[in-house]
C-alpha cells in the first residue's frame, strides 16, 4: 500500500511490480516444466499467470487500474502477456 502523496508514475511503477513478478515466474516455471516435465510446475505456472491476469484488471483497488491510469501501453503489454500465458498454460495442464 502506498501511503501519502505520490506521483502517478511512481504509483504505476510500484503497482506493476507484483504482476511483473507473476509473469516472470510463470514464464520461468513453464520453461522448467518443458525441460523437467514435472506436472506441478505447469500448475504453478498457470496459477501465476492467472494471478497476474486478475491483478491487471483495470478496476478499483487492483494494480491494473493504477497501471492503466499511469501508462496504457505498459498495461496493454502486461495484460496481453498475462492473458496469453494464462491460455497457454491452461491448455498445457494434464487434467
Amino acid at each position: 500500500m502506498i501511503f501519502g502523496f505520490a506521483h502517478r508514475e511512481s504509483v504505476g511503477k510500484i503497482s506493476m511490480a507484483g504482476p511483473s513478478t507473476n509473469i516472470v515466474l510463470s514464464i520461468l516455471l513453464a520453461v522448467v516444466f518443458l525441460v523437467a516435465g514435472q506436472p506441478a510446475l505447469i500448475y504453478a505456472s498457470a496459477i501465476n499467470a492467472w494471478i497476474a491476469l486478475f491483478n491487471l484488471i483495470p478496476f478499483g483497488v487492483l494494480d491494473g487500474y493504477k497501471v492503466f491510469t499511469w501508462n496504457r501501453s505498459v498495461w496493454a503489454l502486461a495484460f496481453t502477456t498475462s492473458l496469453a500465458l494464462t491460455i497457454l498454460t491452461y491448455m498445457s495442464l494434464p487434467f
Side-chain angles (χ1 to χ4, degrees), residues 10-94:
S10 298
V11 172
K13 288 179 180 180
I14 292 167
S15 297
M16 195 59 216
S20 297
T21 302
N22 288 116
I23 290 170
V24 168
L25 278 173
S26 180
I27 292 169
L28 289 174
L29 289 165
V31 168
V32 174
F33 166 75
L34 293 174
V35 173
Q38 292 292 331
L41 295 173
I42 198 66
Y43 283 107
S45 177
I47 290 168
N48 273 288
W50 186 85
I51 291 171
L53 181 66
F54 181 79
N55 206 10
L56 283 168
I57 296 171
F59 178 75
V61 297
L62 297 175
D63 288 334
Y65 178 74
K66 298 169 195 165
V67 175
F68 187 79
T69 56
W70 163 57
N71 189 328
R72 292 181 184 188
S73 301
V74 171
W75 175 84
L77 178 65
F79 189 81
T80 305
T81 303
S82 62
L83 179 62
L85 281 169
T86 300
I87 292 169
L88 290 173
T89 54
Y90 275 95
M91 289 175 50
S92 302
L93 290 177

